[in-house]
Amino acid sequence: MKRAIQLRLFQALLLLAILFGVAEARLAWVQLGFGRSETTHASLERKAVLQRSDSLVLDSGRGHFVDRNGALLTGETVRALAAFPAQGGPHGTDEAIGKLADILETDRGRFQAWLDNLKAADVWREGDGKRAYALTERQAAQIRQLELSGIAILPYRNRYADREALSTLQAIGYVSQHPERIGQIYGEQLRTGLMNKNDLIGGAGLERSLDRLLKGIGPTKAIQLTDASRRPLEGLGIRVMAPDNPHYPVQVKTTLDLRMQRAAANVLNDHGIKEGAVVVLDADNADILAMVSLPAFDPEHIGVAGTDERNHALLAVPPGSVFKTVTLAAALEAGVTNVKEKFFCSGTYGRYGLRCWREHGHGVLTLEQAYAESCNVVFAALAERLDPALLQKTAERMGLGRQVGWSVSRFIDGEPLRLLPEEQPGVIFADLEKAKDGGVRTGSGIGQRDVRITPLQAANMAVTLLHGGTVLAPRLVSEIRYADGGLLASLPPQKAASGQGAISPRTAAFVRRAMEAVVTKGTAADALKDAVWPLAGKSGTAELAGTRSAYNDHWFVGYGPAKGKARYAVAVLLENERVGLRNRAAAVFGDIMEALRRIDSERSPKS
């Protein structure tokens, strides 16, 4: 009995010894750095360091954007003045602190107040409080000579590099806090502690659609080691700790041309335009080269009065006579008219209260002349001849009434991807049954009533005509690369075919000829008579109902050069123009095309 008790006691002690041994081995393994979890970015050693330090995030680790030529759109790294508030703040004589303020070209009292109020490590920022102040090399050298404690010069990444260009580039979007959405998207990361509900995620534009690829694997931090009283530990200085994965952050190469973006924005500014949009597409493949939206916005201050974070290039609005392009194509496709038919316009249609914009009418017109002169009477007649379902189908065949931006049902991560999720599909008829009424059809045939399209879709319609009726999908991103240059994903050009088929090349060719007539002898002849490139297009004035009845939207959609190989398709929308004002959209279009021509000429003098 006694031996049995001794044996059981020995076995229990042996088991305890084994368990302690395993625990000690595991602890040693972790402390040596081999126990790092696949799902975390810090070992216990790193966590211990962070518990007794002041830290400053220098770079969130989020991926950044460049234009098609490699120019930075986001992710600008600057020399920044960092302050670590150990034991009440950075230390130095009043004279040295004053000199530091002078070097920063700021008021001494304001700078001292900033230092006094620091509760955590931070960088000196520009007046808006968002961007780190960028030190010159000379300023950095002068600051180092002051030898202030708690002050350091560190590389800091400002999220938005060229805010002037980005102010009208809502397509890039912004990051913001979305606690209600982050749980739906990143539930697993929240549960494992890799993210928290207050983290910044993409709020709109590419920042949102590509967020799952952009968010990175962790921040880069500057760490000042301190003791329990937050006194800096002698000799240890400031350590920079970053994720050790060379693949991140990723770089997104957009199709945008920053120079063209600025040029289009400058033209709108020169014409005093406050609201509207411009889209410039590569006529060869429908790549988005510029996308300007007004009112402008500040990606770091969303919701400020006078700004608008919405991308007006993706909002569907009445197109006015621009839609006559679809009515013309539909009438030819349906065989309800032909290129030789002649019409008579007396100035009034005779029913539905519809009148032509020219008070006494155009007289006798050919089909091409009716389009070039934008005759309401002729196009109301054509629309009334058409089955409304066919008019709607033709619009869809030309890339209207549906989203056409680049998208895939399964991207590299297995999830669907639409680069421009804010793109509104627009509408042709709100109710096809009601469209059987002649008044509804005639109003829609001239681009009023329920018809809504976006500037992106309008510019893409011009590309569709240039490609003989084939609809391409406007693309805003061409590739995504790892930080070390390796290719993560390629986003090739694609078509945006309609289930309704396509218009014929013959119809597309006639419509292009009619668009050229608009410029050579039609409604845009005066505005574009001095253009160096031969141009083609269609103007439109959309009447706005309801509370905006005193305003019109002005449009011009076209391409150039119209002879030889077209280079660019452009849509111009000027919103909320006072009724009675001359349509300025054609003149804006002409100035944008001239700016594009000059850029082309400077880059390829022989072209």
Side-chain angles (χ1 to χ4, degrees):
M1 184 72 172
K2 185 177 180 180
R3 290 194 59 176
I5 294 174
Q6 289 177 335
L7 179 60
R8 283 197 294 271
L9 182 59
F10 174 76
Q11 290 173 336
L13 291 173
L14 180 61
L15 179 60
L16 286 173
I18 292 172
L19 290 175
F20 278 116
V22 169
E24 288 178 0
R26 174 60 182 165
L27 181 59
W29 181 262
V30 170
Q31 288 176 333
L32 288 171
F34 299 113
R36 194 171 295 166
S37 168
E38 292 276 327
T39 60
T40 63
H41 302 302
S43 65
L44 291 182
E45 178 190 9
R46 177 173 295 192
K47 290 179 180 178
V49 168
L50 297 179
Q51 287 173 353
R52 58 176 188 274
S53 63
D54 286 332
S55 66
L56 170 65
V57 174
L58 301 174
D59 182 354
S60 69
R62 189 173 181 83
H64 58 275
F65 298 94
V66 298
D67 84 342
R68 66 189 315 171
N69 301 308
L72 277 177
L73 296 171
T74 61
E76 171 195 41
T77 300
V78 300
R79 298 183 193 87
L81 177 82
F84 292 82
Q87 283 196 319
H91 298 286
T93 64
D94 290 343
E95 181 182 1
I97 296 293
K99 286 181 179 179
L100 177 53
D102 293 342
I103 293 170
L104 296 173
E105 300 177 341
T106 190
D107 178 75
R108 290 190 176 194
R110 175 173 174 250
F111 184 69
Q112 185 64 60
W114 176 70
L115 290 178
D116 292 342
N117 291 320
L118 275 179
K119 298 295 187 293
D122 202 357
V123 294
W124 176 246
R125 300 175 187 274
E126 295 179 0
D128 61 10
K130 291 288 186 179
R131 292 167 56 84
Y133 179 87
L135 297 170
T136 65
E137 188 174 348
R138 181 181 180 184
Q139 285 175 312
Q142 291 174 329
I143 293 170
R144 291 189 185 98
Q145 291 176 358
L146 296 177
E147 297 183 346
L148 290 164
S149 66
I151 292 289
I153 297 169
L154 297 169
Y156 185 90
R157 177 159 284 186
N158 285 321
R159 179 63 191 162
Y160 298 106
D162 190 333
R163 287 199 298 176
E164 182 179 355
L166 289 173
S167 68
T168 60
L169 190 49
Q170 285 88 334
I172 293 297
Y174 56 88
V175 294
S176 53
Q177 291 181 341
H178 295 274
E180 75 290 348
R181 189 157 55 85
I182 198 169
Q184 301 172 1
I185 306 172
Y186 302 117
E188 181 61 28
Q189 289 92 325
L190 286 175
R191 284 190 293 273
T192 57
L194 292 180
M195 297 183 71
N196 66 68
K197 288 189 175 182
N198 293 320
D199 283 349
L200 297 177
I201 61 173
L206 292 180
E207 292 277 28
R208 179 170 181 173
S209 62
L210 296 175
D211 189 71
R212 62 189 192 258
L213 301 173
L214 290 168
K215 65 185 182 65
I217 58 173
T220 295
K221 293 183 177 182
I223 309 294
Q224 178 174 260
L225 301 181
T226 65
D227 61 19
S229 300
R230 292 191 73 190
R231 289 184 298 232
L233 296 177
E234 290 293 331
L236 293 181
I238 294 171
R239 297 170 58 185
V240 174
M241 303 176 72
D244 55 5
N245 190 325
H247 289 325
Y248 295 92
V250 300
Q251 176 178 281
V252 177
K253 185 176 182 180
T254 70
T255 60
L256 294 163
D257 186 309
L258 195 52
R259 188 173 175 189
M260 293 181 182
Q261 176 74 21
R262 290 196 186 101
N266 288 340
V267 169
L268 289 178
N269 183 64
D270 292 344
H271 281 265
I273 306 304
K274 304 299 183 184
E275 297 176 84
V278 168
V279 176
V280 179
L281 300 182
D282 187 324
D284 188 49
N285 60 6
D287 275 356
I288 300 170
L289 302 176
M291 182 175 274
V292 180
S293 176
L294 292 172
F297 87 126
D298 184 339
E300 293 171 322
H301 296 86
I302 299 301
V304 173
T307 67
D308 192 349
E309 66 273 14
R310 296 177 303 163
N311 188 347
H312 286 231
L314 304 179
L315 301 181
V317 296
S321 293
V322 165
F323 192 74
K324 290 173 182 172
T325 308
V326 176
T327 306
L328 174 60
L332 289 170
E333 293 281 286
V336 300
T337 188
N338 60 68
V339 298
K340 295 182 179 179
E341 183 177 3
K342 292 187 177 180
F343 305 83
F344 181 78
C345 169
S346 64
T348 180
Y349 188 56
R351 51 187 181 275
Y352 313 128
L354 194 149
R355 302 186 60 83
C356 191
W357 64 268
R358 179 170 284 184
E359 184 178 356
H360 301 295
H362 290 95
V364 178
L365 292 163
T366 65
L367 188 61
E368 181 182 300
Q369 288 172 333
Y371 182 86
E373 292 291 340
S374 199
C375 178
N376 286 342
V377 168
V378 171
F379 277 85
L382 292 175
E384 200 161 13
R385 295 178 190 178
L386 285 166
D387 182 321
L390 180 58
L391 184 58
Q392 181 161 297
K393 286 180 181 178
T394 303
E396 291 177 9
R397 290 168 180 166
M398 298 174 73
L400 307 182
R402 60 191 177 94
Q403 291 178 307
V404 293
W406 196 98
S407 67
V408 289
S409 58
R410 186 180 178 86
F411 198 48
I412 56 170
D413 58 356
E415 298 294 324
L417 174 64
R418 179 172 291 279
L419 289 176
L420 296 168
E422 293 92 352
E423 179 195 354
Q424 296 179 350
V427 66
I428 309 304
F429 294 109
D431 187 327
L432 265 179
E433 191 63 31
K434 292 181 179 179
K436 293 178 181 178
D437 177 82
V440 175
R441 290 208 304 283
T442 56
S444 298
I446 62 173
Q448 294 293 157
R449 301 288 301 201
D450 301 325
V451 183
R452 301 288 187 273
I453 70 173
T454 71
L456 175 65
Q457 293 158 2
N460 199 50
M461 180 175 67
V463 175
T464 297
L465 294 169
L466 290 168
H467 285 257
T470 299
V471 183
L472 303 181
R475 181 178 64 151
L476 191 56
V477 173
S478 59
E479 64 181 27
I480 304 172
R481 291 192 174 273
Y482 291 114
D484 56 10
L487 183 66
L488 170 59
S490 178
L491 289 73
Q494 62 179 213
K495 296 178 182 179
S498 166
Q500 306 296 337
I503 64 171
S504 70
R506 183 177 179 180
T507 295
F510 181 80
V511 176
R512 292 199 305 271
R513 193 173 84 191
M515 293 176 80
E516 291 180 37
V518 170
V519 175
T520 57
K521 51 191 175 184
T523 55
D526 288 342
L528 300 176
K529 62 184 178 182
D530 296 325
V532 177
W533 269 353
L535 303 173
K538 182 71 184 79
S539 59
T541 300
E543 297 176 359
L544 306 178
T547 58
R548 296 197 297 159
S549 58
Y551 299 88
N552 292 330
D553 282 353
H554 294 171
W555 285 84
F556 197 90
V557 179
Y559 60 89
K563 303 298 182 183
K565 183 176 175 59
R567 302 292 297 273
Y568 307 107
V570 175
V572 175
L573 168 63
L574 312 182
E575 295 182 274
N576 294 315
E577 298 284 297
R578 283 279 183 183
V579 168
L581 291 180
R582 176 180 58 85
N583 190 327
R584 296 184 288 163
V588 172
F589 169 84
D591 287 349
I592 290 173
M593 292 302 298
E594 175 59 15
L596 298 175
R597 186 196 67 80
R598 289 178 178 174
I599 291 172
D600 267 14
S601 179
E602 291 171 10
R603 289 175 174 172
S604 304
K606 295 182 181 180
S607 64

